[in-house]
Amino acid sequence: WRELPVRLADFGVLHRNELSGALSGLTRVRRFQQDDAHIFCTSEQIVDEIRGCLDFMEAIYTVLGFTYELELSTRPAKYLGELEVWDDAESRLKEALDGSGATWQLNPGDGAFYGPKIDITVHDALRRPFQCATIQLDFQLPIRFELTYNAPDGTEKRPVIVHRAILGSIERMTGILTEHFAGKWPFWLSPRQVMVVPVMPMFNDYATELQRKLHLQGIVIDN
């Protein structure tokens, strides 16, 4: 219990067999990468960990200039586990959302089969909605994998898993950002930050030297 929470994150490659008619540019593809994270924590740590995820998302989306909507998706018709566990998980997410001060809506019956989740929807420049970030509470996988930790009283208890993605699909986020900025990327995010164009051949050496100096400063530059 002293080592919890354990937070693990990766940008793994995922595959989803989308129907051909559902594929759309970068926003819906069959192979993508996701900023996936899994947090193993105690039941008492759930609210703080969820709030930490919400704060992280707020920081990232504020920098990108996004507005977003929060929804709490609750138990679907077909679900795993005990009803009491689901009720407890949903109450923890409600507590975290209320404590964040953000406005949120209830989305009944749209949770994952293994647990409730917080869905975050952003809009591109054309006001089209996209789900990017997600925060999901999972009581079922720790049971199925027989995960336990040693509690302070010496007993073995079951941890909880928080599934968290902030950007979601990197490909989808790239497509949304392209629309959002209408091609006018902020300097820090632009794939071409500076271009040096010598006006005469006699300035080529100077342009090359300038390119080298800017490159050493970490600026993406073409010449």
Side-chain angles (χ1 to χ4, degrees), residues 13 38 121 193 197:
V13 177
H38 299 89
T121 303
Q193 295 176 322
V197 182

Side-chain angles (χ1 to χ4, degrees), residues 90-105:
E90 290 173 5
S91 68
R92 300 296 181 96
L93 290 183
K94 289 178 182 177
E95 182 182 350
L97 284 168
D98 289 338
S100 71
T103 301
W104 60 277
Q105 295 180 338

